[in-house]
Amino acid sequence: MNFIPIFSHEMERDSAMNILSDQVLKLNEQGCTSYSQGNYKEALYYFDLALLRIKENENNPLAQGIILNNIAGVHFARGNYKKASELHDESLKFRIQAIEKGFPCTELSTACGNIALLMHIEGSHQQALRNYYRALMLKSDPFGCYDTASICTANNLGVLEYSKGLMNEALERFEVILSNKIQDFPENWFNLANIYNNFAICYADRKGFGVEPHKRLDLALLYLEKALNMKKMITGENHIDVAIITYNIGILFEQQNILEESKAFKTKAIKLVEGIQPNHPLLAEFYMKMSKDYKTNKANYKKAL
């Protein structure tokens, strides 16, 4: 599998509307907007300010849990997984306090899903699997994916299955997500492009099943192009997800034996990577994938190390 899937970290934005005070809600909105645009320093400023306002003026543990989740999301995006994990644990504690005060237990689902994501990245796949399912079961409709938190959890579960070579299971999961009215979500929802990318690479890697190869790859390209356009509209060019989707398009052209286009997209992906923070853990995987294609380019191996 030469393609690279994209994880989804759920940021609490719309779900916070009836929980946060007007002042904190505005700060949270500003933080989420900055986050989606890749302005992580600015996002942290707004989220830290929101948390300070909650501590000063309110006694709302669920509000604290929501803001801590979003601060954790910024650290996750920066590749600081240890800090993100600590913040998610803290967020979960506040949510448990909120349940003791009468909030519904569904408020635990986002925390469980994001904690599972960190376990997944750290290689604790069995623990991640249990927590992904726990997050889905905490929803009132555990087999549905109609809210953003459930969709992110289902997406990450599909990525786990894909990484283990369970192609049929992963593809079926992404097909279920796409069939559950995901198209009704706005195109500026940050994680929507991730799901299109992941469906596309699963579909491209699918062999046989009565699907003609050129039709399979053409459909995969359609979804990858859609994912790329969506992501660039939100984040601009210089974002790790844009680089990954660009690289995946290059791999797809290679599978179609369109080598000139393949080289152009892979070269563009490499240039995009150079503009992104050099210590992001995802970049190591990215360079290793590319170094397999460019075996004579030893610099990529050094960067991966």
Side-chain angles (χ1 to χ4, degrees):
M1 293 179 293
N2 291 321
F3 293 107
I4 302 178
I6 304 177
F7 295 106
S8 292
H9 182 286
E10 170 67 354
M11 302 293 282
E12 295 185 89
R13 190 173 193 161
D14 294 341
S15 60
M17 290 183 67
N18 298 321
I19 297 165
L20 304 180
S21 65
D22 290 344
Q23 185 185 33
V24 173
L25 183 64
K26 184 177 180 181
L27 291 168
N28 188 57
E29 284 278 337
Q30 291 170 309
C32 286
T33 299
S34 298
Y35 165 87
S36 66
Q37 295 170 344
N39 298 326
Y40 300 132
K41 184 177 180 180
E42 187 175 273
L44 273 180
Y45 168 78
Y46 288 122
F47 290 139
D48 286 341
L49 196 55
L51 191 60
L52 182 63
R53 293 288 179 269
I54 294 170
K55 289 178 179 178
E56 287 177 346
N57 305 319
E58 305 172 24
N59 183 23
N60 187 338
L62 183 53
Q64 284 187 261
I66 286 170
I67 300 302
L68 285 168
N69 173 81
N70 291 348
I71 294 173
V74 177
H75 287 286
F76 174 84
R78 284 179 157 177
N80 189 352
Y81 299 141
K82 183 179 179 181
K83 181 65 176 177
S85 183
E86 291 170 358
L87 287 164
H88 278 307
D89 287 342
E90 194 176 349
S91 172
L92 182 59
K93 290 176 185 176
F94 278 108
R95 290 169 194 271
I96 292 170
Q97 289 179 26
I99 289 170
E100 291 170 351
K101 292 189 174 186
F103 287 92
C105 67
T106 52
E107 299 299 342
L108 287 175
S109 62
T110 300
C112 284
N114 284 336
I115 287 170
L117 170 58
L118 269 301
M119 291 174 174
H120 182 169
I121 287 173
E122 290 166 358
S124 302
H125 290 168
Q126 285 304 115
Q127 284 182 288
L129 193 63
R130 284 195 294 271
N131 278 279
Y132 281 143
Y133 280 117
R134 183 175 292 132
L136 290 175
M137 293 301 293
L138 281 166
K139 305 303 291 184
S140 56
D141 179 14
F143 300 104
C145 296
Y146 294 106
D147 69 299
T148 56
S150 294
I151 291 172
C152 285
T153 298
N155 174 71
N156 296 335
L157 190 51
V159 170
L160 180 58
E161 289 163 340
Y162 176 81
S163 65
K164 286 181 169 293
L166 302 172
M167 212 60 63
N168 289 345
E169 290 87 342
L171 183 60
E172 183 178 349
R173 191 169 303 281
F174 292 124
E175 286 175 338
V176 168
I177 296 172
L178 290 173
S179 69
N180 278 344
K181 298 183 180 179
I182 192 173
Q183 293 87 348
D184 293 344
F185 284 90
E187 287 196 354
N188 63 353
W189 180 44
F190 185 77
N191 289 304
L192 184 55
N194 303 2
I195 295 156
Y196 283 128
N197 173 84
N198 295 341
F199 169 77
I201 65 175
C202 275
Y203 201 76
D205 271 339
R206 182 182 184 178
K207 309 296 183 187
F209 301 97
V211 181
E212 293 180 32
H214 73 277
K215 289 183 178 179
R216 173 170 52 82
L217 297 179
D218 285 348
L219 181 61
L221 180 59
L222 183 68
Y223 274 94
L224 282 175
E225 288 175 339
K226 190 171 186 177
L228 184 61
N229 290 333
M230 281 184 180
K231 190 65 76 169
K232 284 167 69 175
M233 179 181 70
I234 300 167
T235 67
E237 285 274 348
N238 292 320
H239 193 278
I240 183 66
D241 292 348
V242 172
I244 288 172
I245 298 168
T246 301
Y247 173 78
N248 285 340
I249 291 174
I251 290 292
L252 195 62
F253 279 126
E254 183 181 318
Q255 288 191 0
Q256 294 174 307
N257 206 32
I258 307 174
L259 300 183
E260 232 177 277
E261 286 288 322
S262 174
K263 183 179 178 182
F265 274 90
K266 288 178 183 177
T267 301
K268 185 174 182 180
I270 292 171
K271 289 180 179 178
L272 285 172
V273 170
E274 303 302 335
I276 300 169
Q277 61 186 91
N279 296 323
H280 196 296
L282 279 176
L283 293 182
E285 179 185 2
F286 197 46
Y287 283 126
M288 284 299 274
K289 293 278 189 184
M290 289 190 294
S291 62
K292 290 178 182 178
D293 300 317
Y294 299 98
K295 292 181 180 179
T296 58
N297 189 349
K298 296 180 181 179
N300 281 336
Y301 282 110
K302 291 179 181 177
K303 288 177 180 178
L305 296 173

